[in-house]
């Protein structure tokens, strides 16, 4: 079968290729968000976009950005007798500087978000495995809102589902902050003109 993706394509073909070729089953709202990046790339090139190109765009958009935050590692404890049963200590880099944050919550993601200390609201969460057996990876998709702004998705992939979830939160946070920096630059350029 031939699936053609160009700047006029819908979300279905792109999502189908990512799932068939790379095992990524994107939630519907993430398909909508990501389709804008694919359409922009197709518009710029004027050509059809192959599965490898779509994955490269996905990777660049969701998996590669490691600034201003980068996940390093975490430690977690659980005690169901406590009001915040999950406690997490997470090591991050923020603009290259190492930092360790601690937080508690009703689950790992809640504890991680509390540790970040930012106004983050988790709007949606999806996960699935990529592959099977001992080599399976977890893919996690989170949609979050920062400071009552628009929602953004983040994606994390790891052999550990909790780590994949933390990476997805960091991905979404970095995407929010990149957009804020882009908007600030646009405002500065407009003011200078």
């Amino acid at each position: 079968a031939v699936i053609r993706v160009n700047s006029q394509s819908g979300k279905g073909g792109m999502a189908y290729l990512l799932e068939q070729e790379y095992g990524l089953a994107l939630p519907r709202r993430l398909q909508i968000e990501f389709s804008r990046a694919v359409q922009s790339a197709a518009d710029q090139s004027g050509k059809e976009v192959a599965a490898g190109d779509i994955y490269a765009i996905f990777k660049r958009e969701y998996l590669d950005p490691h600034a201003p935050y980068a996940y390093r590692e975490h430690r977690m404890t659980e005690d169901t007798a406590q009001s915040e049963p999950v406690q997490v200590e997470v090591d991050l880099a923020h603009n290259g500087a190492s930092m360790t944050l601690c937080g508690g919550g009703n689950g790992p993601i809640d504890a991680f978000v509390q540790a970040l200390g930012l106004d983050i609201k988790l709007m949606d969460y999806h996960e699935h495995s990529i592959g099977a057996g001992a080599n399976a990876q977890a893919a996690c998709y989170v949609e979050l809102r920062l400071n009552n702004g628009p929602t953004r998705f983040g994606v994390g992939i790891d052999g550990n589902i909790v780590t994949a979830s933390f990476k997805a939160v960091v991905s979404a946070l970095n995407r929010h902050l990149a957009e804020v920096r882009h908007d600030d630059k646009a405002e500065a350029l407009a003011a200078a003109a």
Side-chain angles (χ1 to χ4, degrees):
V2 174
I3 305 291
R4 300 181 105 116
V5 176
N6 61 33
S7 65
Q8 302 304 309
S9 297
K11 292 148 278 302
M14 169 207 66
Y16 178 82
L17 288 172
L18 282 177
E19 187 165 4
Q20 294 303 305
E21 299 290 325
Y22 299 96
L24 297 168
L26 306 187
R28 179 72 178 146
R29 285 200 308 271
L30 175 53
Q31 290 177 28
I32 294 166
E33 182 185 282
F34 178 55
S35 71
R36 293 181 202 119
V38 174
Q39 287 176 337
S40 175
D43 283 341
Q44 288 175 6
S45 72
K47 300 176 183 173
E48 291 179 353
V49 185
D53 299 327
I54 292 170
Y55 181 72
I57 297 165
F58 182 82
K59 195 169 177 299
R60 181 182 70 234
E61 192 75 19
Y62 297 97
L63 300 175
D64 289 346
H66 297 292
Y69 290 96
Y71 169 86
R72 291 201 171 144
E73 61 187 18
H74 73 274
R75 291 150 301 284
M76 190 170 57
T77 58
E78 188 170 354
D79 182 352
T80 58
Q82 301 299 315
S83 62
E84 291 184 330
V86 176
Q87 298 294 315
V88 68
E89 181 179 86
V90 62
D91 297 332
L92 301 172
H94 182 253
N95 293 322
S98 295
M99 60 191 303
T100 300
L101 303 172
C102 298
N106 61 11
I109 296 175
D110 184 38
F112 181 57
V113 167
Q114 296 305 318
L116 289 170
L118 301 170
D119 183 12
I120 294 174
K121 292 178 186 66
L122 184 66
M123 309 303 288
D124 201 5
Y125 175 92
H126 296 269
E127 67 180 57
H128 66 81
S129 66
I130 301 173
N135 295 324
Q137 295 266 299
C140 180
Y141 312 96
V142 298
E143 182 181 19
L144 61 81
R145 183 182 308 276
L146 177 64
N147 298 328
N148 292 317
T151 64
R152 292 283 176 273
F153 272 92
V155 180
I157 298 175
D158 196 87
N160 178 304
I161 187 61
V162 172
T163 302
S165 300
F166 291 176
K167 287 179 177 180
V169 169
V170 169
S171 168
L173 180 58
N174 285 339
R175 293 184 72 247
H176 267 287
L177 296 173
E179 181 147 323
V180 167
R181 285 191 307 271
H182 177 73
D183 290 348
D184 289 347
K185 284 181 187 175
E187 282 181 27
L189 288 173

